[in-house]
Amino acid sequence: MGVVIIDGSTVRSFVNDETHFHKSVEEAFASLDLNNDGVLSRSELRRAFESLRLIETHFGEDVATPEEELTKLHDSIFDKFDCDNSGGVDQKEFMNEMRNILMAIADGLGSSPVQMALEDDKGFLKLAVDL
């Protein structure tokens, strides 16, 4: 875990740097595409979001969420990524949605620097700070 100082312009700069952003997305996509077929399945994307533990904790404390609620949430996330409704998320769809997510984070951060603890040293926000 590392502590960083970040603001919206840091994230925007990262997303707008085509070389670094594309490379980071390609690496993330490849790590999620477990069967190397060039498409993220519903289960591959779900596994990625489950590993983030965004839903199962509340300020570091584990909370029980009914399985049907988790499935509904993960399905809605998958549907957001799967823009063409093909049943799989290709690299272009993944990149576009990650761009949207990161730009929303940038908008939320605004121009005031924020101190943030990041658990994943390879995550997009850490890469933005490093750039």
Side-chain angles (χ1 to χ4, degrees):
M1 181 179 333
V3 176
V4 299
I5 306 294
I6 191 168
D7 67 2
S9 67
T10 303
V11 178
R12 275 188 208 85
S13 293
F14 171 68
V15 172
N16 291 329
D17 184 318
E18 294 288 319
T19 302
H20 286 98
F21 179 67
H22 284 237
K23 181 178 184 236
S24 300
V25 170
E26 287 170 4
E27 290 172 358
F29 186 90
S31 72
L32 299 176
D33 185 13
L34 300 177
N35 64 357
N36 297 316
D37 66 352
V39 177
L40 298 180
S41 66
R42 196 171 290 274
S43 64
E44 286 170 326
L45 198 57
R46 180 175 178 152
R47 199 170 298 117
F49 279 100
E50 285 175 342
S51 72
L52 296 174
R53 292 188 47 132
L54 299 174
I55 307 306
E56 292 83 11
T57 63
H58 179 72
F59 297 107
E61 297 293 321
D62 285 343
V63 294
T65 305
E67 182 61 31
E68 62 196 32
E69 190 175 325
L70 286 174
T71 298
K72 191 178 200 180
L73 175 66
H74 287 111
D75 285 347
S76 70
I77 292 169
F78 183 85
D79 292 342
K80 184 74 175 156
F81 274 81
D82 184 19
C83 298
D84 63 2
N85 297 315
S86 66
V89 177
D90 63 29
Q91 191 170 333
K92 183 178 178 185
E93 290 172 314
F94 183 74
M95 185 175 307
N96 288 338
E97 194 56 31
M98 290 309 303
R99 178 179 286 114
N100 292 340
I101 290 169
L102 288 169
M103 293 307 272
I105 290 171
D107 290 345
L109 289 171
S111 60
S112 299
V114 176
Q115 186 174 5
M116 186 180 291
L118 299 176
E119 286 187 36
D120 185 352
D121 289 339
K122 296 179 184 177
F124 288 109
L125 294 180
K126 178 69 167 91
L127 293 170
V129 171
D130 290 346
L131 180 63

